[in-house]
Amino acid sequence: MTPLEAAAVFAAGVGAGGINAVVGSGSLITFPTLLALGFPPIVANVSNNVGLVPGGLTGVLGYRAELKGQRERLIRLGLASILGSVLGGVLLLQLPAKAFQVIVPVLIALACVLVIVQPKLNGWLAGRRTHPHGGPWLWLGVLGAGVYGGYFGAAQGIVLIGLLGIFLEEELQRVNAAKNLLSLLVNTTAAVLFALIAHVDWWVALLVALGSAAGGFLGARVGRRLPAPLLRGFIVCVGVVAIVKLLS
């Protein structure tokens, strides 16, 4: 890479880390950047996934106050994220990329709808929830989000926020904190898998890692200050952009 290309990858990492901490979908910045610089799709996806792990960590640390009281829940759901990520990573290395091209935009669109209608659904579900951790349906949904995250990952945060917001009786910032931790587990699991059995461009991964770590820290500071309606609107806007990019 030339110095200018390295700067572009680092800058994309900063943007991705910031967006991932607030919403998710940071890969929609880094992945196209790597493709534009001439990296093969699988190498770009794998290296990007490895590089975004530090950004996920700083995002989680930035939301640590909102994670208090969620330990038991996140242990349960974290297992689903890890199992799903392993399956998704294996699928990435075995299946053609076109396998998810149809369903991914549909998943993101459904997640955006869930985020929009979440306040009304929460009112309707009040008193009907029988499990403080979301029950088996949320566990299965998080497992599916883990498969998607291990396979590609862009907008997995939006899918997770949609699921967690519906099944859990929590305010949005605590849901976002849980999303950050589950996304980190997915990315870390996939990164370990890719490091062992796939071709990682370690220079790319390093540049994305440095950028995403800084971006995750800044994104968490901004995201925690956003009122719930504004954060909800931002999530939906990012989701729409994600769908447009994936369909273009």
Side-chain angles (χ1 to χ4, degrees):
M1 282 186 292
T2 67
L4 185 60
E5 290 173 337
V9 173
F10 174 79
V14 173
I19 288 181
N20 278 343
V22 181
V23 184
S25 300
S27 289
L28 294 174
I29 297 177
T30 45
F31 184 67
T33 299
L34 296 177
L35 292 183
L37 293 176
F39 291 94
I42 298 298
V43 174
N45 194 15
V46 167
S47 304
N48 174 62
N49 186 295
V50 174
L52 287 177
V53 170
L57 179 59
T58 55
V60 168
L61 292 174
Y63 271 88
R64 59 189 178 276
E66 286 76 13
L67 287 171
K68 291 180 179 178
Q70 300 197 66
R71 180 178 178 180
E72 183 180 351
R73 167 190 301 158
L74 291 172
I75 289 175
R76 293 169 182 256
L77 297 178
L79 178 60
S81 290
I82 291 170
L83 291 175
S85 180
V86 171
L87 180 56
V90 171
L91 288 175
L92 173 66
L93 300 176
Q94 298 295 324
L95 297 178
K98 292 182 178 179
F100 276 20
Q101 281 185 348
V102 174
I103 195 169
V104 167
V106 175
L107 280 175
I108 299 173
L110 177 59
C112 287
V113 172
L114 290 177
V115 171
I116 293 171
V117 303
Q118 179 191 328
K120 289 189 176 296
L121 271 179
N122 281 347
W124 182 78
L125 289 171
R128 294 179 172 87
R129 294 185 178 94
T130 59
H131 200 291
H133 305 307
W137 288 112
L138 177 58
W139 196 92
L140 290 173
V142 171
L143 176 70
V147 173
Y148 169 51
Y151 186 91
F152 181 49
Q156 70 161 317
I158 296 174
V159 175
L160 281 171
I161 287 176
L163 287 168
L164 296 170
I166 294 301
F167 285 97
L168 298 177
E169 195 167 357
E170 291 283 4
E171 57 104 10
L172 190 58
Q173 291 290 4
R174 284 174 59 80
V175 167
N176 200 32
K179 175 270 295 179
N180 283 346
L181 182 57
L182 295 176
S183 295
L184 174 62
L185 290 175
V186 170
N187 287 346
T188 302
T189 302
V192 172
L193 178 67
F194 295 153
L196 292 174
I197 63 175
H199 174 60
V200 178
D201 188 311
W202 290 104
W203 281 114
V204 167
L206 176 62
L207 289 167
V208 173
L210 293 173
S212 69
F217 175 76
L218 294 172
R221 295 193 67 177
V222 172
R224 294 180 68 237
R225 291 179 169 85
L226 293 177
L230 185 58
L231 178 57
R232 200 180 307 279
F234 185 58
I235 292 167
V236 173
C237 289
V238 172
V240 171
V241 172
I243 293 171
V244 172
K245 278 185 169 290
L246 289 169
L247 290 177
S248 61

